[in-house]
Coordinates of all heavy atoms in Angstrom, one line a residue:
E22 N -7.7 -1.6 0.4 CA -6.9 -0.5 0.7 C -7.7 0.8 0.7 O -8.7 0.9 0.0 CB -5.8 -0.4 -0.4 CG -4.9 -1.6 -0.5 CD -3.9 -1.5 -1.7 OE1 -3.7 -0.4 -2.1 OE2 -3.4 -2.5 -2.1
S23 N -7.2 1.8 1.4 CA -7.8 3.1 1.4 C -6.7 4.1 1.8 O -5.6 3.8 2.2 CB -8.9 3.2 2.5 OG -8.4 2.9 3.8
G24 N -7.0 5.4 1.5 CA -6.2 6.5 1.9 C -5.4 7.2 0.8 O -4.8 8.2 1.0
G25 N -5.5 6.6 -0.4 CA -4.9 7.3 -1.5 C -5.6 8.5 -1.9 O -6.7 8.8 -1.5
G26 N -5.0 9.3 -2.8 CA -5.6 10.5 -3.3 C -4.6 11.5 -3.9 O -3.4 11.1 -4.1
L27 N -5.0 12.7 -4.0 CA -4.2 13.8 -4.6 C -3.6 14.6 -3.5 O -4.4 15.0 -2.6 CB -5.0 14.6 -5.5 CG -4.3 15.9 -6.1 CD1 -3.2 15.4 -7.0 CD2 -5.3 16.7 -6.9
V28 N -2.3 14.9 -3.5 CA -1.7 15.6 -2.5 C -0.6 16.5 -3.1 O 0.0 16.2 -4.1 CB -1.1 14.7 -1.4 CG1 0.1 13.9 -2.0 CG2 -0.6 15.5 -0.2
Q29 N -0.4 17.7 -2.5 CA 0.7 18.6 -3.0 C 2.0 18.1 -2.6 O 2.2 17.4 -1.6 CB 0.4 20.0 -2.5 CG -0.9 20.6 -3.0 CD -1.0 22.0 -2.5 OE1 -0.1 22.7 -2.2 NE2 -2.3 22.5 -2.5
P30 N 3.1 18.5 -3.4 CA 4.4 18.2 -2.9 C 4.7 18.7 -1.5 O 4.3 19.8 -1.2 CB 5.3 18.9 -3.9 CG 4.5 19.0 -5.2 CD 3.0 19.2 -4.7
G31 N 5.4 17.9 -0.7 CA 5.6 18.2 0.7 C 4.5 17.7 1.6 O 4.7 17.8 2.8
G32 N 3.4 17.3 1.1 CA 2.3 16.8 1.9 C 2.4 15.4 2.4 O 3.4 14.7 2.2
S33 N 1.4 15.0 3.0 CA 1.4 13.6 3.7 C 0.1 12.9 3.3 O -0.9 13.5 3.1 CB 1.5 13.8 5.2 OG 2.7 14.4 5.6
L34 N 0.2 11.6 3.3 CA -0.9 10.7 3.2 C -0.6 9.5 4.1 O 0.5 9.1 4.4 CB -1.1 10.2 1.8 CG -1.7 11.2 0.8 CD1 -1.6 10.5 -0.6 CD2 -3.1 11.5 1.1
R35 N -1.7 8.9 4.5 CA -1.6 7.6 5.3 C -2.5 6.6 4.6 O -3.7 6.7 4.5 CB -2.1 7.8 6.7 CG -1.8 6.6 7.6 CD -2.5 6.7 9.0 NE -2.0 5.7 9.9 CZ -2.8 5.2 10.9 NH1 -4.0 5.7 11.1 NH2 -2.2 4.4 11.8
L36 N -1.8 5.5 4.2 CA -2.5 4.4 3.5 C -2.8 3.3 4.5 O -2.1 3.1 5.5 CB -1.7 3.8 2.4 CG -1.2 4.8 1.3 CD1 -0.4 4.0 0.3 CD2 -2.3 5.6 0.7
S37 N -4.0 2.7 4.3 CA -4.4 1.6 5.2 C -4.8 0.4 4.3 O -5.3 0.6 3.2 CB -5.6 2.0 6.1 OG -5.3 3.0 6.9
C38 N -4.5 -0.8 4.8 CA -4.9 -2.0 4.1 C -5.4 -3.0 5.2 O -4.6 -3.4 6.0 CB -3.7 -2.6 3.3 SG -4.1 -4.1 2.5
A39 N -6.6 -3.4 5.1 CA -7.2 -4.3 6.1 C -7.6 -5.6 5.4 O -8.2 -5.6 4.3 CB -8.5 -3.6 6.7
A40 N -7.2 -6.7 6.1 CA -7.6 -8.0 5.6 C -8.8 -8.5 6.3 O -9.1 -8.2 7.5 CB -6.4 -9.0 5.9
S41 N -9.6 -9.3 5.5 CA -10.8 -9.9 6.1 C -10.9 -11.3 5.5 O -10.3 -11.6 4.5 CB -12.0 -9.1 5.8 OG -12.2 -9.0 4.4
G42 N -11.8 -12.1 6.2 CA -12.0 -13.5 5.8 C -11.6 -14.4 6.9 O -11.3 -14.1 8.0
S43 N -11.5 -15.7 6.5 CA -11.1 -16.7 7.4 C -9.6 -16.8 7.5 O -9.0 -17.5 6.8 CB -11.7 -18.1 7.0 OG -13.1 -18.0 7.0
I44 N -9.1 -16.1 8.5 CA -7.6 -15.9 8.6 C -7.2 -16.5 10.0 O -7.7 -16.1 11.0 CB -7.2 -14.5 8.5 CG1 -7.6 -13.9 7.1 CG2 -5.7 -14.3 8.8 CD1 -7.4 -12.5 6.9
F45 N -6.2 -17.3 9.9 CA -5.6 -17.8 11.2 C -4.6 -16.8 11.7 O -4.6 -16.5 12.8 CB -5.0 -19.2 10.9 CG -4.2 -19.7 12.1 CD1 -4.9 -20.2 13.2 CD2 -2.8 -19.6 12.2 CE1 -4.2 -20.6 14.4 CE2 -2.1 -20.1 13.3 CZ -2.8 -20.6 14.4
S46 N -3.7 -16.4 10.8 CA -2.6 -15.5 11.1 C -2.1 -14.8 9.9 O -2.3 -15.3 8.8 CB -1.5 -16.1 12.0 OG -0.8 -17.1 11.2
I47 N -1.3 -13.8 10.1 CA -0.7 -13.1 9.0 C 0.8 -12.9 9.3 O 1.1 -12.4 10.4 CB -1.3 -11.7 8.7 CG1 -2.8 -11.9 8.5 CG2 -0.6 -11.0 7.6 CD1 -3.5 -10.5 8.3
N48 N 1.6 -13.3 8.4 CA 3.1 -13.2 8.6 C 3.5 -11.8 8.2 O 3.1 -10.8 8.7 CB 3.8 -14.3 8.0 CG 3.5 -15.7 8.5 OD1 3.3 -15.8 9.8 ND2 3.4 -16.7 7.7
A49 N 4.3 -11.7 7.1 CA 4.8 -10.4 6.7 C 3.7 -9.6 6.0 O 2.8 -10.2 5.4 CB 6.0 -10.6 5.7
M50 N 3.8 -8.3 6.2 CA 2.9 -7.4 5.5 C 3.8 -6.4 4.8 O 4.9 -6.1 5.2 CB 2.0 -6.6 6.5 CG 1.1 -7.5 7.3 SD 0.0 -6.5 8.4 CE -1.0 -7.7 9.2
G51 N 3.3 -5.8 3.7 CA 4.2 -4.9 3.0 C 3.4 -4.0 2.0 O 2.2 -4.2 1.7
W52 N 4.1 -3.0 1.5 CA 3.6 -2.1 0.5 C 4.5 -2.1 -0.7 O 5.8 -2.1 -0.5 CB 3.5 -0.7 1.0 CG 2.4 -0.5 2.0 CD1 2.5 -0.6 3.4 CD2 1.0 -0.3 1.8 NE1 1.3 -0.4 4.0 CE2 0.4 -0.2 3.0 CE3 0.3 -0.1 0.6 CZ2 -1.0 0.1 3.2 CZ3 -1.1 0.2 0.7 CH2 -1.7 0.3 2.0
Y53 N 4.0 -2.1 -1.9 CA 4.7 -2.0 -3.1 C 4.0 -0.9 -4.0 O 2.9 -0.5 -3.7 CB 4.7 -3.3 -3.9 CG 5.4 -4.4 -3.2 CD1 4.8 -5.1 -2.1 CD2 6.7 -4.8 -3.6 CE1 5.5 -6.1 -1.4 CE2 7.3 -5.8 -2.9 CZ 6.7 -6.5 -1.8 OH 7.4 -7.5 -1.2
R54 N 4.8 -0.4 -4.9 CA 4.2 0.7 -5.8 C 4.7 0.5 -7.2 O 5.7 -0.1 -7.5 CB 4.5 2.1 -5.3 CG 6.0 2.5 -5.5 CD 6.2 3.8 -4.9 NE 7.6 4.3 -5.3 CZ 8.1 5.5 -4.9 NH1 7.4 6.3 -4.0 NH2 9.3 5.9 -5.3
Q55 N 3.9 1.0 -8.1 CA 4.2 0.9 -9.5 C 3.8 2.2 -10.2 O 2.6 2.6 -10.3 CB 3.5 -0.2 -10.2 CG 3.9 -0.5 -11.6 CD 3.4 -1.8 -12.2 OE1 2.5 -2.4 -11.6 NE2 4.0 -2.3 -13.2
G56 N 4.8 3.0 -10.6 CA 4.6 4.2 -11.3 C 4.3 3.9 -12.8 O 4.6 2.8 -13.3
S57 N 3.8 4.9 -13.5 CA 3.5 4.8 -14.9 C 4.8 4.4 -15.7 O 5.8 5.1 -15.6 CB 3.0 6.1 -15.4 OG 2.7 6.0 -16.8
G58 N 4.7 3.3 -16.4 CA 5.9 2.9 -17.2 C 7.0 2.3 -16.4 O 8.1 2.1 -16.9
K59 N 6.8 2.1 -15.1 CA 7.9 1.6 -14.2 C 7.5 0.1 -13.7 O 6.4 -0.3 -13.8 CB 8.0 2.5 -13.0 CG 8.3 3.9 -13.4 CD 9.6 4.1 -14.0 CE 9.9 5.6 -14.3 NZ 11.2 5.8 -15.0
Q60 N 8.6 -0.5 -13.2 CA 8.4 -1.8 -12.6 C 7.9 -1.6 -11.2 O 8.1 -0.6 -10.5 CB 9.7 -2.6 -12.6 CG 10.3 -2.9 -13.9 CD 9.5 -3.9 -14.7 OE1 9.1 -4.9 -14.1 NE2 9.3 -3.7 -15.9
R61 N 7.1 -2.6 -10.7 CA 6.7 -2.6 -9.4 C 7.9 -2.7 -8.4 O 8.8 -3.6 -8.7 CB 5.7 -3.7 -9.1 CG 5.0 -3.7 -7.7 CD 3.9 -4.7 -7.6 NE 2.8 -4.4 -8.5 CZ 1.6 -5.0 -8.5 NH1 1.4 -5.9 -7.7 NH2 0.7 -4.6 -9.4
E62 N 7.9 -1.9 -7.4 CA 9.0 -1.9 -6.5 C 8.6 -1.9 -5.1 O 7.5 -1.5 -4.7 CB 9.9 -0.6 -6.8 CG 9.2 0.7 -6.5 CD 10.1 1.9 -6.8 OE1 11.3 1.7 -6.9 OE2 9.5 3.0 -6.9

């Protein structure tokens, strides 16, 4: 993964996640997050 960082409220970020290795295909892709003291969502 890449693209994270510090941003001001109202700002924008673009996250990227690249897979590598011996891969035939990839089905679903997704993003999850976990805030401090929170469940992953």
Side-chain angles (χ1 to χ4, degrees):
E22 302 178 19
S23 62
L27 176 65
V28 65
Q29 296 183 21
S33 298
L34 285 174
R35 190 191 192 207
L36 306 183
S37 300
C38 177
S41 63
S43 299
I44 297 172
F45 174 77
S46 65
I47 304 174
N48 296 323
M50 300 180 178
W52 291 93
Y53 297 76
R54 73 183 188 184
Q55 187 167 20
S57 179
K59 305 293 184 180
Q60 297 291 316
R61 186 170 298 187
E62 62 182 346

